[in-house]
Amino acid sequence: DAGVIQSPRHEVTEMGQEVTLRCKPISGHDYLFWYRQTMMRGLELLIYFNNNVPIDDSGMPEDRFSAKMPNASFSTLKIQPSEPRDSAVYFCASSLDPLDRGDYNSPLHFGNGTRLTVT
Amino acid sequence: QKEVEQDPGPLSVPEGAIVSLNCTYSNSAFQYFMWYRQYSRKGPELLMYTYSSGNKEDGRFTAQVDKSSKYISLFIRDSQPSDSATYLCAMTELYNFNKFYFGSGTKLNVKP
């Protein structure tokens, strides 16, 4: 398996522009997570989906952020309008349903992230 | 106070040294404890995980959990330059295992 695939790897945009980050999870994984990583705050969970349904979006910073998962193999994270404080590395991760795996803990498999710079 | 505390380092050691990385936490409901390794410009990858208290060994790596002290450790024996990375601890509650709490990561540099 190719692992979790994110695109683009780098994104540089100007304040006020719309940004769309994309993720393809590992085939067969039931859960998809969006994280943001900064030096100041470390890894923060933004939102996660189970079987394409958003379960917990309490980490989404504000209404400028939205995420969708139209099918099991694709998810987007959109920021509109973008601001300089949104600059960070955004990671997508996927995992199996722990109960399917016969184990109550299922590791997260991360993509290599999208480095977003908003000027 | 953050739920998971981890010294950011950086930690610089000579090749062959024993490395000790640590995290403390405040939530006594945490039951699963993980260590992720993150190379520069890459996503974190799972290194080890343990359930509840005790030790787990995998090659040169040993994970320890002391729930009474709310303290977890990762030991690396015979450290190699290829171990140079950022190490993040993570933990979850027993029945809320999709909410991972990450430490901020410790940057390790193993000098040849």
Side-chain angles (χ1 to χ4, degrees):
Chain A
D1 200 311
V4 175
I5 300 173
Q6 291 187 247
S7 64
R9 286 300 310 274
H10 303 274
E11 178 80 42
V12 181
T13 191
E14 291 184 348
M15 183 173 65
Q17 296 299 306
E18 178 179 294
V19 174
T20 300
L21 311 181
R22 296 172 176 79
C23 174
K24 177 177 165 49
I26 292 173
S27 177
H29 280 191
D30 303 283
Y31 287 84
L32 183 139
F33 303 77
W34 283 100
Y35 281 87
R36 176 171 69 176
Q37 187 176 42
T38 61
M39 291 289 291
M40 290 296 295
R41 300 171 71 92
L43 265 172
E44 301 175 277
L45 176 65
L46 300 177
I47 185 171
Y48 79 89
F49 296 81
N50 177 214
N51 292 325
N52 315 337
V53 176
I55 302 300
D56 184 349
D57 65 354
S58 59
M60 296 286 259
E62 48 200 273
D63 291 345
R64 298 184 298 107
F65 286 69
S66 62
K68 293 182 180 178
M69 192 165 185
N71 57 62
S73 58
F74 183 66
S75 178
T76 59
L77 178 68
K78 188 173 292 187
I79 309 173
Q80 165 63 20
S82 57
E83 296 183 3
R85 61 192 167 121
D86 301 331
S87 298
V89 181
Y90 290 80
F91 287 103
C92 177
S94 68
S95 75
L96 288 167
D97 188 316
L99 297 179
D100 286 342
R101 199 181 179 228
D103 184 341
Y104 287 99
N105 182 279
S106 182
L108 295 174
H109 297 262
F110 284 85
N112 283 328
T114 295
R115 184 172 295 272
L116 174 65
T117 303
V118 184
T119 60
Chain B
Q1 183 192 3
K2 289 173 101 174
E3 300 235 29
V4 182
E5 298 278 0
Q6 185 176 8
D7 187 331
L11 184 61
S12 187
V13 301
E15 183 175 352
I18 296 174
V19 175
S20 172
L21 305 168
N22 311 293
C23 287
T24 59
Y25 62 94
S26 55
N27 184 351
S28 57
F30 288 145
Q31 293 282 354
Y32 286 98
F33 303 91
M34 291 146 278
W35 287 95
Y36 282 80
R37 177 175 61 195
Q38 185 175 20
Y39 290 115
S40 181
R41 307 282 178 170
K42 299 286 189 182
E45 56 177 342
L46 182 70
L47 197 56
M48 296 186 72
Y49 83 83
T50 54
Y51 170 67
S52 196
S53 282
N55 293 359
K56 187 172 184 178
E57 190 172 318
D58 184 2
R60 297 184 293 111
F61 298 89
T62 300
Q64 276 186 358
V65 176
D66 181 349
K67 291 190 69 184
S68 61
S69 303
K70 297 191 180 68
Y71 188 87
I72 70 170
S73 302
L74 177 71
F75 297 96
I76 307 174
R77 289 185 299 281
D78 187 24
S79 56
Q80 302 294 310
S82 59
D83 295 328
S84 298
T86 296
Y87 291 79
L88 301 104
C89 63
M91 39 201 87
T92 66
E93 298 176 7
L94 181 59
Y95 295 114
N96 192 10
F97 33 69
N98 287 308
K99 189 141 188 176
F100 290 71
Y101 293 83
F102 282 89
S104 55
T106 300
K107 189 167 185 178
L108 172 67
N109 181 34
V110 181
K111 299 173 292 185

